[in-house]
Amino acid sequence: MAELIPFAVPTASDKTLLVWDLNAGPTAEALHRSLSTALSRFGLLHSVRVLPNAAVARPGFYAVVKFYSARDARRAQKACDGRPLVQSAPVKVHLGSRHKAVRHQSLPLNSSRCQELANYYFGFNGWSKRIIKLQELSDVEGREAEALAAPRGKQSVKFLCALEVVLPSYACTSPGVAVVEEPAEELEQGLTALIARRKMAQKLAVQKALSNAFQKLCIVVLESGKIAVEYRPREGAGDAGGEAELQDLIQVSCFAWEQHSQGEEDFRDFNAEEEELGLLERDQP
């Protein structure tokens, strides 16, 4: 049987382990580190939460551990239940309880978690990203001098990023797009703060576009352990199917590519700034 692992926060009960009877001696932070080390050998962990027992119970801790893979969670439960996992006394390890009446909303992983999951299953050299367009949609730069001379309220910077995740071993690409708008610093703080905010908006746009691209991919883990990829395009304005459609999206937003074409000198300056931020790196970050 094949298991599907989406780029989403795991919420299913069969991916959740409950660990009881943890001693009160170590701190919660120490138990967190020990549990993460002990359980990560069974598969990639999404989270480990160590919590104190209820006041009516004896002193100690329990833990909630989430795996990305239900198969990994089952293997960990069978191997660790009734054994001294991180202490001399045995612990109880059970799979999460099933609540059929409760349906959890699937939350997308952020870009950092997406990259962690992709590195684990595809390898560090098994995927890359290619930025198709990174464009400022706000007109902050054009109004800097005017705004400093005559403040007219709060300013903001807006960036659009269109990119694609490339999986060469699977002959698969997944496009992603995001628009990020960040409030600019107060004008009296000067252009330095404005430039810093602009760089932050650039970075956030790339991160959100990368997460958006990964949301259309699903990892397929076969019984043999081999990996496949399923591409699931989603309906919506932000889910274009290729570079041409992403260009159409920019044009629909009334920011035509030709309208915002820059001179050769401006283009070199913009690329130099992207290299400084690491945004032109086509291999994995």
Side-chain angles (χ1 to χ4, degrees), residues 20-226:
W20 287 290
D21 293 344
L22 294 171
N23 291 337
T27 63
E29 292 76 11
L31 285 173
H32 182 279
R33 291 192 297 268
S34 299
L35 284 172
S36 299
T37 301
L39 294 174
S40 60
R41 70 178 188 268
F42 297 99
L44 184 63
L45 303 177
H46 172 267
S47 62
V48 177
R49 296 179 59 199
V50 178
L51 304 168
N53 289 338
V56 296
R58 66 182 180 85
F61 297 91
Y62 70 96
V64 180
V65 182
K66 290 184 179 293
F67 284 83
Y68 285 100
S69 165
R71 187 176 301 165
D72 293 342
R74 289 194 300 270
R75 290 194 303 112
Q77 190 274 328
K78 291 179 180 180
C80 300
D81 185 33
R83 298 188 180 184
L85 182 60
V86 293
Q87 58 192 29
S88 58
V91 298
K92 296 178 182 178
V93 182
H94 293 173
L95 286 172
S97 302
R98 296 181 179 274
H99 298 283
K100 295 183 179 180
V102 179
R103 298 187 63 181
H104 298 280
Q105 181 182 4
S106 178
L107 299 176
L109 295 176
N110 60 34
S111 62
S112 177
R113 293 291 186 132
C114 287
Q115 293 175 75
E116 181 183 45
L117 189 58
N119 290 338
Y120 183 83
Y121 283 100
F122 304 139
F124 288 92
N125 297 320
W127 68 277
S128 63
K129 74 172 184 290
R130 185 175 75 91
I131 294 180
I132 298 171
K133 188 70 175 178
L134 181 61
Q135 178 174 312
E136 185 170 6
L137 303 184
S138 55
D139 57 348
V140 171
E141 287 187 346
R143 290 183 295 164
E144 283 175 355
E146 179 183 353
L148 288 174
R152 295 183 301 172
K154 293 184 178 180
Q155 306 295 320
S156 64
V157 289
K158 181 187 294 186
F159 272 89
L160 180 144
C161 179
L163 55 76
E164 63 181 6
V165 169
V166 183
L167 301 170
S169 298
Y170 304 94
C172 177
T173 61
S174 178
V177 64
V179 176
V180 170
E181 184 173 8
E182 286 288 307
E185 298 293 341
E186 295 297 331
L187 295 173
E188 56 266 19
Q189 295 188 15
L191 293 180
T192 301
L194 189 62
I195 293 173
R197 182 63 64 178
R198 179 177 179 270
K199 291 182 178 181
M200 177 60 67
Q202 272 186 311
K203 182 178 180 180
L204 290 176
V206 174
Q207 291 176 344
K208 289 190 175 183
L210 185 61
S211 176
N212 178 259
F214 274 116
Q215 304 315 307
K216 305 180 185 73
L217 298 175
C218 189
I219 302 169
V220 183
V221 183
L222 305 178
E223 188 69 30
S224 62
K226 293 184 177 181

Side-chain angles (χ1 to χ4, degrees), residues 10-26:
T11 58
S13 59
D14 58 355
K15 298 181 180 182
T16 304
L17 291 186
L18 303 178
V19 184
W20 287 290
D21 293 344
L22 294 171
N23 291 337

Side-chain angles (χ1 to χ4, degrees), residues 5 111 258 285:
I5 302 178
S111 62
E258 295 80 3

